[in-house]
Amino acid sequence: MPIPHGAPTDAHIELCELRSAHNYHPLPVVLARGEGAWVTDVEGRRYLDCLAGYSALNFGHGHPRLIARAERQLATLTLTSRAFFSDQLGPFAEALGDLTGKEMVLPMNTGAEAVETALKVARKWGYQVKGVPENRARIIVMEGNFHGRTTTIISFSDDKVARDEFGPYTPGFVSVSYGDAAALREAIDEDTVAVLLEPIQGEGGVLIPPAGYLREVRQICDANGVLMLADEVQSGLARTGRTFACDHEDVVPDIYILGKALGGGIIPVSAIAADRDVLGVITPGSHGSTFGGNPLACAIAHEVVDMLATGEFQERARILGARLQAGLEPLVGHGLRAVRIRGLWAGLDLDPDGPSGRVLCESLIAHGILAKDTHGATIRLAPPLVVTEDDLDLLVNGIRGALAGFRRS
Ligand SMILES: *Cc1c(COP(=O)(O)O)cnc(C)c1O
């Protein structure tokens, strides 16, 4: 262990290991407080949070504007179910519709639920609008995808751990190589209703497709009467320096799938946004969620949308991302094999003869930095967009120091 553990840390870890299922492999840090880009553990040690809840904390911990809005709504009305209207849903739907440029939204809670919603809408659209024969709809997905953890979603994952022994799997999905427009064109047939993709593959390691790819996907979908579903759950809402990662190629998908930061780091809020000719296929009783679109969620997410409407956070991601890039790129050849970065979102591939991602993240703890590896040899950095330039310098110095520690030993 890179840091000496006190009793509080060990006791919390032991209790969690004993009484909570082992569906994650957390770093040995027990957090108790968060403020902005920083968190504090049960022993008073502070860390720069460079995972930011997998981008759910784009606005940092406890953003005063979001907390104030949440507190006001907590004291007013939190839950109605969709059996009744609330005074929060309409204004939120209008605001998110305006941000996405779409006519309608359908709110849910988690990212996986929003993905499921988009898949259901695409299938129903395929039968009702495109005229695909019942039960024949095909949806094309990408190799290396990550869209969540439900049984249908893991059915088209190629991550063995996520998938194995959870079958039988949901049929109707075809996987093609990510970033390969020709492979996509080849895979489409008359029963294809949609293409589902992440404009940047986050869990895959912040994999950015070749320039022009998203535009080609858009053209292929248009030419074949197929819906383009963009999973912007992690890439969206200012992380990449634009409101949506699709904006980098001026591409507008038929359905935006949103989550994570939409809940302001306070509660789970997800949604899909689409025009009436697509989302109109949903009728009363055909889809729903007890908590989806609840007043507390709508109030917080509406505040998130208002904060994004100014462009301030997108600009921060661009400017700070450039600084992070300038700091990280000199490390290529000095412990890093490659750096991919878009906005304030980076994937660092480690040298194969150096430490594993896990081991490097453990040593970053001693430098006051929390980050997480993905797929073993890649570190994903996604600090809250409220980090300062000094914070980023500390991050770069910490990574340089941690890598150097392994090269000496
Ligand atoms: C995290 C994530 C999801 C799933 O979101 P949950 O809220 O964990 O269900 C879906 N798609 C992408 C791209 C994600 O990063």
PDB file of all heavy atoms in Angstrom, residues 106 108 113-127 139 152 173 193 227 229 255 272 278-279 281-282 285-288:
ATOM      1  N   LEU A 106     -37.480  12.645 -23.081  1.00  0.00           N
ATOM      2  CA  LEU A 106     -38.076  11.627 -22.230  1.00  0.00           C
ATOM      3  C   LEU A 106     -37.108  11.403 -21.072  1.00  0.00           C
ATOM      4  O   LEU A 106     -36.011  10.889 -21.277  1.00  0.00           O
ATOM      5  CB  LEU A 106     -38.311  10.325 -23.024  1.00  0.00           C
ATOM      6  CG  LEU A 106     -39.284   9.296 -22.414  1.00  0.00           C
ATOM      7  CD1 LEU A 106     -39.621   8.213 -23.413  1.00  0.00           C
ATOM      8  CD2 LEU A 106     -38.771   8.670 -21.127  1.00  0.00           C
ATOM      9  N   MET A 108     -35.410   9.871 -17.676  1.00  0.00           N
ATOM     10  CA  MET A 108     -35.288   8.647 -16.895  1.00  0.00           C
ATOM     11  C   MET A 108     -34.317   8.935 -15.745  1.00  0.00           C
ATOM     12  O   MET A 108     -34.178  10.095 -15.357  1.00  0.00           O
ATOM     13  CB  MET A 108     -34.815   7.484 -17.777  1.00  0.00           C
ATOM     14  CG  MET A 108     -35.803   7.089 -18.874  1.00  0.00           C
ATOM     15  SD  MET A 108     -37.358   6.368 -18.282  1.00  0.00           S
ATOM     16  CE  MET A 108     -36.848   4.693 -17.934  1.00  0.00           C
ATOM     17  N   GLU A 113     -30.703   3.251 -18.328  1.00  0.00           N
ATOM     18  CA  GLU A 113     -32.139   3.373 -18.632  1.00  0.00           C
ATOM     19  C   GLU A 113     -32.377   4.271 -19.840  1.00  0.00           C
ATOM     20  O   GLU A 113     -33.295   4.028 -20.633  1.00  0.00           O
ATOM     21  CB  GLU A 113     -32.881   3.992 -17.446  1.00  0.00           C
ATOM     22  CG  GLU A 113     -33.126   3.068 -16.289  1.00  0.00           C
ATOM     23  CD  GLU A 113     -33.777   3.848 -15.159  1.00  0.00           C
ATOM     24  OE1 GLU A 113     -33.171   4.812 -14.673  1.00  0.00           O
ATOM     25  OE2 GLU A 113     -34.906   3.509 -14.792  1.00  0.00           O
ATOM     26  N   ALA A 114     -31.570   5.318 -19.971  1.00  0.00           N
ATOM     27  CA  ALA A 114     -31.731   6.194 -21.134  1.00  0.00           C
ATOM     28  C   ALA A 114     -31.347   5.440 -22.408  1.00  0.00           C
ATOM     29  O   ALA A 114     -32.003   5.586 -23.445  1.00  0.00           O
ATOM     30  CB  ALA A 114     -30.891   7.456 -20.967  1.00  0.00           C
ATOM     31  N   VAL A 115     -30.289   4.623 -22.334  1.00  0.00           N
ATOM     32  CA  VAL A 115     -29.901   3.810 -23.495  1.00  0.00           C
ATOM     33  C   VAL A 115     -31.027   2.840 -23.842  1.00  0.00           C
ATOM     34  O   VAL A 115     -31.431   2.717 -25.010  1.00  0.00           O
ATOM     35  CB  VAL A 115     -28.582   3.054 -23.220  1.00  0.00           C
ATOM     36  CG1 VAL A 115     -28.284   2.059 -24.340  1.00  0.00           C
ATOM     37  CG2 VAL A 115     -27.422   4.041 -23.058  1.00  0.00           C
ATOM     38  N   GLU A 116     -31.559   2.155 -22.837  1.00  0.00           N
ATOM     39  CA  GLU A 116     -32.683   1.229 -23.056  1.00  0.00           C
ATOM     40  C   GLU A 116     -33.859   1.962 -23.708  1.00  0.00           C
ATOM     41  O   GLU A 116     -34.520   1.419 -24.604  1.00  0.00           O
ATOM     42  CB  GLU A 116     -33.149   0.633 -21.717  1.00  0.00           C
ATOM     43  CG  GLU A 116     -32.168  -0.345 -21.083  1.00  0.00           C
ATOM     44  CD  GLU A 116     -32.363  -1.769 -21.602  1.00  0.00           C
ATOM     45  OE1 GLU A 116     -33.294  -2.000 -22.397  1.00  0.00           O
ATOM     46  OE2 GLU A 116     -31.559  -2.637 -21.211  1.00  0.00           O
ATOM     47  N   THR A 117     -34.109   3.175 -23.233  1.00  0.00           N
ATOM     48  CA  THR A 117     -35.211   3.961 -23.780  1.00  0.00           C
ATOM     49  C   THR A 117     -34.982   4.238 -25.260  1.00  0.00           C
ATOM     50  O   THR A 117     -35.888   4.081 -26.091  1.00  0.00           O
ATOM     51  CB  THR A 117     -35.343   5.286 -23.001  1.00  0.00           C
ATOM     52  OG1 THR A 117     -35.537   4.985 -21.613  1.00  0.00           O
ATOM     53  CG2 THR A 117     -36.508   6.122 -23.507  1.00  0.00           C
ATOM     54  N   ALA A 118     -33.752   4.632 -25.609  1.00  0.00           N
ATOM     55  CA  ALA A 118     -33.433   4.925 -27.017  1.00  0.00           C
ATOM     56  C   ALA A 118     -33.593   3.670 -27.879  1.00  0.00           C
ATOM     57  O   ALA A 118     -34.101   3.744 -29.003  1.00  0.00           O
ATOM     58  CB  ALA A 118     -32.018   5.481 -27.127  1.00  0.00           C
ATOM     59  N   LEU A 119     -33.169   2.517 -27.344  1.00  0.00           N
ATOM     60  CA  LEU A 119     -33.296   1.261 -28.108  1.00  0.00           C
ATOM     61  C   LEU A 119     -34.765   0.918 -28.335  1.00  0.00           C
ATOM     62  O   LEU A 119     -35.169   0.511 -29.436  1.00  0.00           O
ATOM     63  CB  LEU A 119     -32.598   0.113 -27.367  1.00  0.00           C
ATOM     64  CG  LEU A 119     -31.076   0.264 -27.163  1.00  0.00           C
ATOM     65  CD1 LEU A 119     -30.541  -0.863 -26.275  1.00  0.00           C
ATOM     66  CD2 LEU A 119     -30.335   0.290 -28.495  1.00  0.00           C
ATOM     67  N   LYS A 120     -35.583   1.099 -27.305  1.00  0.00           N
ATOM     68  CA  LYS A 120     -37.010   0.805 -27.440  1.00  0.00           C
ATOM     69  C   LYS A 120     -37.675   1.748 -28.434  1.00  0.00           C
ATOM     70  O   LYS A 120     -38.463   1.331 -29.288  1.00  0.00           O
ATOM     71  CB  LYS A 120     -37.708   0.886 -26.065  1.00  0.00           C
ATOM     72  CG  LYS A 120     -37.375  -0.295 -25.159  1.00  0.00           C
ATOM     73  CD  LYS A 120     -37.945  -0.119 -23.757  1.00  0.00           C
ATOM     74  CE  LYS A 120     -39.456  -0.263 -23.697  1.00  0.00           C
ATOM     75  NZ  LYS A 120     -39.949  -0.184 -22.278  1.00  0.00           N
ATOM     76  N   VAL A 121     -37.338   3.030 -28.339  1.00  0.00           N
ATOM     77  CA  VAL A 121     -37.909   4.014 -29.261  1.00  0.00           C
ATOM     78  C   VAL A 121     -37.504   3.675 -30.692  1.00  0.00           C
ATOM     79  O   VAL A 121     -38.326   3.714 -31.619  1.00  0.00           O
ATOM     80  CB  VAL A 121     -37.458   5.438 -28.881  1.00  0.00           C
ATOM     81  CG1 VAL A 121     -37.781   6.434 -29.996  1.00  0.00           C
ATOM     82  CG2 VAL A 121     -38.116   5.877 -27.571  1.00  0.00           C
ATOM     83  N   ALA A 122     -36.219   3.305 -30.880  1.00  0.00           N
ATOM     84  CA  ALA A 122     -35.739   2.999 -32.237  1.00  0.00           C
ATOM     85  C   ALA A 122     -36.479   1.788 -32.806  1.00  0.00           C
ATOM     86  O   ALA A 122     -36.850   1.771 -33.987  1.00  0.00           O
ATOM     87  CB  ALA A 122     -34.238   2.752 -32.220  1.00  0.00           C
ATOM     88  N   ARG A 123     -36.691   0.760 -31.985  1.00  0.00           N
ATOM     89  CA  ARG A 123     -37.407  -0.425 -32.480  1.00  0.00           C
ATOM     90  C   ARG A 123     -38.840  -0.067 -32.861  1.00  0.00           C
ATOM     91  O   ARG A 123     -39.324  -0.411 -33.943  1.00  0.00           O
ATOM     92  CB  ARG A 123     -37.397  -1.525 -31.407  1.00  0.00           C
ATOM     93  CG  ARG A 123     -36.058  -2.254 -31.322  1.00  0.00           C
ATOM     94  CD  ARG A 123     -36.085  -3.319 -30.256  1.00  0.00           C
ATOM     95  NE  ARG A 123     -34.916  -4.209 -30.353  1.00  0.00           N
ATOM     96  CZ  ARG A 123     -34.716  -5.257 -29.557  1.00  0.00           C
ATOM     97  NH1 ARG A 123     -35.597  -5.549 -28.603  1.00  0.00           N
ATOM     98  NH2 ARG A 123     -33.648  -6.009 -29.699  1.00  0.00           N
ATOM     99  N   LYS A 124     -39.532   0.670 -31.978  1.00  0.00           N
ATOM    100  CA  LYS A 124     -40.927   1.034 -32.245  1.00  0.00           C
ATOM    101  C   LYS A 124     -41.015   1.919 -33.485  1.00  0.00           C
ATOM    102  O   LYS A 124     -41.898   1.744 -34.326  1.00  0.00           O
ATOM    103  CB  LYS A 124     -41.515   1.754 -31.026  1.00  0.00           C
ATOM    104  CG  LYS A 124     -42.998   1.524 -30.805  1.00  0.00           C
ATOM    105  CD  LYS A 124     -43.347   2.006 -29.407  1.00  0.00           C
ATOM    106  CE  LYS A 124     -44.779   1.854 -28.973  1.00  0.00           C
ATOM    107  NZ  LYS A 124     -45.605   0.822 -29.498  1.00  0.00           N
ATOM    108  N   TRP A 125     -40.059   2.840 -33.615  1.00  0.00           N
ATOM    109  CA  TRP A 125     -40.000   3.702 -34.806  1.00  0.00           C
ATOM    110  C   TRP A 125     -39.800   2.827 -36.053  1.00  0.00           C
ATOM    111  O   TRP A 125     -40.432   3.060 -37.092  1.00  0.00           O
ATOM    112  CB  TRP A 125     -38.857   4.703 -34.650  1.00  0.00           C
ATOM    113  CG  TRP A 125     -38.599   5.537 -35.870  1.00  0.00           C
ATOM    114  CD1 TRP A 125     -39.169   6.740 -36.176  1.00  0.00           C
ATOM    115  CD2 TRP A 125     -37.699   5.224 -36.944  1.00  0.00           C
ATOM    116  NE1 TRP A 125     -38.691   7.193 -37.387  1.00  0.00           N
ATOM    117  CE2 TRP A 125     -37.784   6.282 -37.877  1.00  0.00           C
ATOM    118  CE3 TRP A 125     -36.841   4.160 -37.208  1.00  0.00           C
ATOM    119  CZ2 TRP A 125     -37.033   6.306 -39.053  1.00  0.00           C
ATOM    120  CZ3 TRP A 125     -36.088   4.177 -38.377  1.00  0.00           C
ATOM    121  CH2 TRP A 125     -36.199   5.246 -39.291  1.00  0.00           C
ATOM    122  N   GLY A 126     -38.959   1.821 -35.920  1.00  0.00           N
ATOM    123  CA  GLY A 126     -38.688   0.932 -37.058  1.00  0.00           C
ATOM    124  C   GLY A 126     -39.951   0.240 -37.537  1.00  0.00           C
ATOM    125  O   GLY A 126     -40.193   0.131 -38.744  1.00  0.00           O
ATOM    126  N   TYR A 127     -40.764  -0.240 -36.593  1.00  0.00           N
ATOM    127  CA  TYR A 127     -41.998  -0.947 -36.975  1.00  0.00           C
ATOM    128  C   TYR A 127     -43.055   0.023 -37.482  1.00  0.00           C
ATOM    129  O   TYR A 127     -43.705  -0.224 -38.501  1.00  0.00           O
ATOM    130  CB  TYR A 127     -42.531  -1.761 -35.787  1.00  0.00           C
ATOM    131  CG  TYR A 127     -41.520  -2.793 -35.310  1.00  0.00           C
ATOM    132  CD1 TYR A 127     -41.153  -2.889 -33.972  1.00  0.00           C
ATOM    133  CD2 TYR A 127     -40.906  -3.654 -36.227  1.00  0.00           C
ATOM    134  CE1 TYR A 127     -40.214  -3.819 -33.556  1.00  0.00           C
ATOM    135  CE2 TYR A 127     -39.965  -4.583 -35.820  1.00  0.00           C
ATOM    136  CZ  TYR A 127     -39.618  -4.662 -34.475  1.00  0.00           C
ATOM    137  OH  TYR A 127     -38.677  -5.563 -34.077  1.00  0.00           O
ATOM    138  N   ILE A 139     -30.280  -3.459 -34.692  1.00  0.00           N
ATOM    139  CA  ILE A 139     -29.590  -2.232 -34.287  1.00  0.00           C
ATOM    140  C   ILE A 139     -28.093  -2.505 -34.344  1.00  0.00           C
ATOM    141  O   ILE A 139     -27.611  -3.528 -33.826  1.00  0.00           O
ATOM    142  CB  ILE A 139     -30.040  -1.787 -32.874  1.00  0.00           C
ATOM    143  CG1 ILE A 139     -31.526  -1.385 -32.930  1.00  0.00           C
ATOM    144  CG2 ILE A 139     -29.163  -0.638 -32.359  1.00  0.00           C
ATOM    145  CD1 ILE A 139     -32.136  -1.024 -31.598  1.00  0.00           C
ATOM    146  N   THR A 152     -30.049  -6.365 -21.526  1.00  0.00           N
ATOM    147  CA  THR A 152     -30.013  -6.103 -22.967  1.00  0.00           C
ATOM    148  C   THR A 152     -28.702  -5.438 -23.362  1.00  0.00           C
ATOM    149  O   THR A 152     -28.081  -5.793 -24.359  1.00  0.00           O
ATOM    150  CB  THR A 152     -31.215  -5.228 -23.388  1.00  0.00           C
ATOM    151  OG1 THR A 152     -32.389  -6.041 -23.360  1.00  0.00           O
ATOM    152  CG2 THR A 152     -31.041  -4.663 -24.785  1.00  0.00           C
ATOM    153  N   PHE A 173     -28.920  -7.341 -32.226  1.00  0.00           N
ATOM    154  CA  PHE A 173     -27.808  -6.391 -32.287  1.00  0.00           C
ATOM    155  C   PHE A 173     -26.671  -6.972 -33.116  1.00  0.00           C
ATOM    156  O   PHE A 173     -26.396  -8.170 -33.060  1.00  0.00           O
ATOM    157  CB  PHE A 173     -27.319  -6.057 -30.870  1.00  0.00           C
ATOM    158  CG  PHE A 173     -28.390  -5.415 -30.041  1.00  0.00           C
ATOM    159  CD1 PHE A 173     -29.196  -6.182 -29.195  1.00  0.00           C
ATOM    160  CD2 PHE A 173     -28.643  -4.055 -30.140  1.00  0.00           C
ATOM    161  CE1 PHE A 173     -30.216  -5.596 -28.458  1.00  0.00           C
ATOM    162  CE2 PHE A 173     -29.661  -3.461 -29.404  1.00  0.00           C
ATOM    163  CZ  PHE A 173     -30.447  -4.233 -28.559  1.00  0.00           C
ATOM    164  N   VAL A 193     -32.731  -0.532 -38.017  1.00  0.00           N
ATOM    165  CA  VAL A 193     -33.487   0.649 -37.590  1.00  0.00           C
ATOM    166  C   VAL A 193     -32.599   1.730 -36.994  1.00  0.00           C
ATOM    167  O   VAL A 193     -32.971   2.904 -36.993  1.00  0.00           O
ATOM    168  CB  VAL A 193     -34.600   0.277 -36.579  1.00  0.00           C
ATOM    169  CG1 VAL A 193     -35.617  -0.663 -37.231  1.00  0.00           C
ATOM    170  CG2 VAL A 193     -34.035  -0.354 -35.303  1.00  0.00           C
ATOM    171  N   LEU A 227     -31.881   5.451 -37.851  1.00  0.00           N
ATOM    172  CA  LEU A 227     -31.695   6.472 -36.813  1.00  0.00           C
ATOM    173  C   LEU A 227     -30.271   6.423 -36.258  1.00  0.00           C
ATOM    174  O   LEU A 227     -29.729   5.345 -36.013  1.00  0.00           O
ATOM    175  CB  LEU A 227     -32.684   6.259 -35.658  1.00  0.00           C
ATOM    176  CG  LEU A 227     -34.177   6.358 -35.987  1.00  0.00           C
ATOM    177  CD1 LEU A 227     -34.999   6.086 -34.722  1.00  0.00           C
ATOM    178  CD2 LEU A 227     -34.509   7.732 -36.566  1.00  0.00           C
ATOM    179  N   LEU A 229     -28.197   7.078 -33.037  1.00  0.00           N
ATOM    180  CA  LEU A 229     -28.359   7.260 -31.592  1.00  0.00           C
ATOM    181  C   LEU A 229     -26.991   7.563 -30.998  1.00  0.00           C
ATOM    182  O   LEU A 229     -26.098   6.710 -31.020  1.00  0.00           O
ATOM    183  CB  LEU A 229     -28.917   5.997 -30.930  1.00  0.00           C
ATOM    184  CG  LEU A 229     -30.024   5.197 -31.654  1.00  0.00           C
ATOM    185  CD1 LEU A 229     -30.445   3.989 -30.803  1.00  0.00           C
ATOM    186  CD2 LEU A 229     -31.225   6.082 -31.940  1.00  0.00           C
ATOM    187  N   ILE A 255     -31.211  10.861 -31.950  1.00  0.00           N
ATOM    188  CA  ILE A 255     -31.494  10.786 -30.516  1.00  0.00           C
ATOM    189  C   ILE A 255     -30.209  11.066 -29.737  1.00  0.00           C
ATOM    190  O   ILE A 255     -29.182  10.420 -29.970  1.00  0.00           O
ATOM    191  CB  ILE A 255     -32.039   9.395 -30.109  1.00  0.00           C
ATOM    192  CG1 ILE A 255     -33.352   9.076 -30.851  1.00  0.00           C
ATOM    193  CG2 ILE A 255     -32.246   9.330 -28.603  1.00  0.00           C
ATOM    194  CD1 ILE A 255     -33.994   7.746 -30.438  1.00  0.00           C
ATOM    195  N   ILE A 272     -33.468  11.097 -22.895  1.00  0.00           N
ATOM    196  CA  ILE A 272     -33.163  11.136 -24.325  1.00  0.00           C
ATOM    197  C   ILE A 272     -33.886  12.345 -24.894  1.00  0.00           C
ATOM    198  O   ILE A 272     -34.911  12.788 -24.362  1.00  0.00           O
ATOM    199  CB  ILE A 272     -33.539   9.836 -25.077  1.00  0.00           C
ATOM    200  CG1 ILE A 272     -35.052   9.633 -25.160  1.00  0.00           C
ATOM    201  CG2 ILE A 272     -32.869   8.630 -24.424  1.00  0.00           C
ATOM    202  CD1 ILE A 272     -35.447   8.545 -26.163  1.00  0.00           C
ATOM    203  N   VAL A 278     -39.853  11.041 -34.081  1.00  0.00           N
ATOM    204  CA  VAL A 278     -39.219   9.860 -33.491  1.00  0.00           C
ATOM    205  C   VAL A 278     -39.845   9.562 -32.121  1.00  0.00           C
ATOM    206  O   VAL A 278     -40.394   8.485 -31.883  1.00  0.00           O
ATOM    207  CB  VAL A 278     -37.691  10.069 -33.346  1.00  0.00           C
ATOM    208  CG1 VAL A 278     -37.064   8.917 -32.564  1.00  0.00           C
ATOM    209  CG2 VAL A 278     -37.043  10.213 -34.725  1.00  0.00           C
ATOM    210  N   LEU A 279     -39.802  10.534 -31.223  1.00  0.00           N
ATOM    211  CA  LEU A 279     -40.263  10.287 -29.848  1.00  0.00           C
ATOM    212  C   LEU A 279     -41.783  10.188 -29.771  1.00  0.00           C
ATOM    213  O   LEU A 279     -42.330   9.677 -28.783  1.00  0.00           O
ATOM    214  CB  LEU A 279     -39.724  11.405 -28.933  1.00  0.00           C
ATOM    215  CG  LEU A 279     -39.368  11.052 -27.497  1.00  0.00           C
ATOM    216  CD1 LEU A 279     -38.861   9.638 -27.329  1.00  0.00           C
ATOM    217  CD2 LEU A 279     -38.395  12.052 -26.937  1.00  0.00           C
ATOM    218  N   VAL A 281     -43.554   8.097 -31.146  1.00  0.00           N
ATOM    219  CA  VAL A 281     -44.039   6.706 -31.171  1.00  0.00           C
ATOM    220  C   VAL A 281     -44.343   6.198 -29.756  1.00  0.00           C
ATOM    221  O   VAL A 281     -45.014   5.181 -29.589  1.00  0.00           O
ATOM    222  CB  VAL A 281     -43.014   5.735 -31.843  1.00  0.00           C
ATOM    223  CG1 VAL A 281     -42.754   6.156 -33.286  1.00  0.00           C
ATOM    224  CG2 VAL A 281     -41.712   5.625 -31.050  1.00  0.00           C
ATOM    225  N   ILE A 282     -43.852   6.922 -28.750  1.00  0.00           N
ATOM    226  CA  ILE A 282     -44.109   6.511 -27.361  1.00  0.00           C
ATOM    227  C   ILE A 282     -45.502   6.997 -26.940  1.00  0.00           C
ATOM    228  O   ILE A 282     -45.831   8.180 -27.078  1.00  0.00           O
ATOM    229  CB  ILE A 282     -43.023   7.085 -26.421  1.00  0.00           C
ATOM    230  CG1 ILE A 282     -41.669   6.418 -26.710  1.00  0.00           C
ATOM    231  CG2 ILE A 282     -43.405   6.918 -24.959  1.00  0.00           C
ATOM    232  CD1 ILE A 282     -41.604   4.940 -26.377  1.00  0.00           C
ATOM    233  N   GLY A 285     -48.252   4.332 -21.239  1.00  0.00           N
ATOM    234  CA  GLY A 285     -48.140   2.934 -20.844  1.00  0.00           C
ATOM    235  C   GLY A 285     -47.051   2.168 -21.571  1.00  0.00           C
ATOM    236  O   GLY A 285     -46.648   1.095 -21.137  1.00  0.00           O
ATOM    237  N   SER A 286     -46.513   2.718 -22.686  1.00  0.00           N
ATOM    238  CA  SER A 286     -45.527   1.957 -23.445  1.00  0.00           C
ATOM    239  C   SER A 286     -44.115   2.074 -22.861  1.00  0.00           C
ATOM    240  O   SER A 286     -43.231   1.308 -23.236  1.00  0.00           O
ATOM    241  CB  SER A 286     -45.535   2.373 -24.924  1.00  0.00           C
ATOM    242  OG  SER A 286     -45.187   3.731 -25.065  1.00  0.00           O
ATOM    243  N   HIS A 287     -43.907   3.021 -21.968  1.00  0.00           N
ATOM    244  CA  HIS A 287     -42.597   3.143 -21.325  1.00  0.00           C
ATOM    245  C   HIS A 287     -42.751   4.023 -20.097  1.00  0.00           C
ATOM    246  O   HIS A 287     -43.624   4.881 -20.062  1.00  0.00           O
ATOM    247  CB  HIS A 287     -41.585   3.759 -22.292  1.00  0.00           C
ATOM    248  CG  HIS A 287     -40.160   3.643 -21.817  1.00  0.00           C
ATOM    249  ND1 HIS A 287     -39.590   2.455 -21.444  1.00  0.00           N
ATOM    250  CD2 HIS A 287     -39.186   4.580 -21.649  1.00  0.00           C
ATOM    251  CE1 HIS A 287     -38.331   2.661 -21.078  1.00  0.00           C
ATOM    252  NE2 HIS A 287     -38.062   3.937 -21.189  1.00  0.00           N
ATOM    253  N   GLY A 288     -41.883   3.846 -19.096  1.00  0.00           N
ATOM    254  CA  GLY A 288     -42.009   4.707 -17.932  1.00  0.00           C
ATOM    255  C   GLY A 288     -41.051   4.355 -16.817  1.00  0.00           C
ATOM    256  O   GLY A 288     -40.248   3.421 -16.945  1.00  0.00           O
TER     257      GLY A 288
END
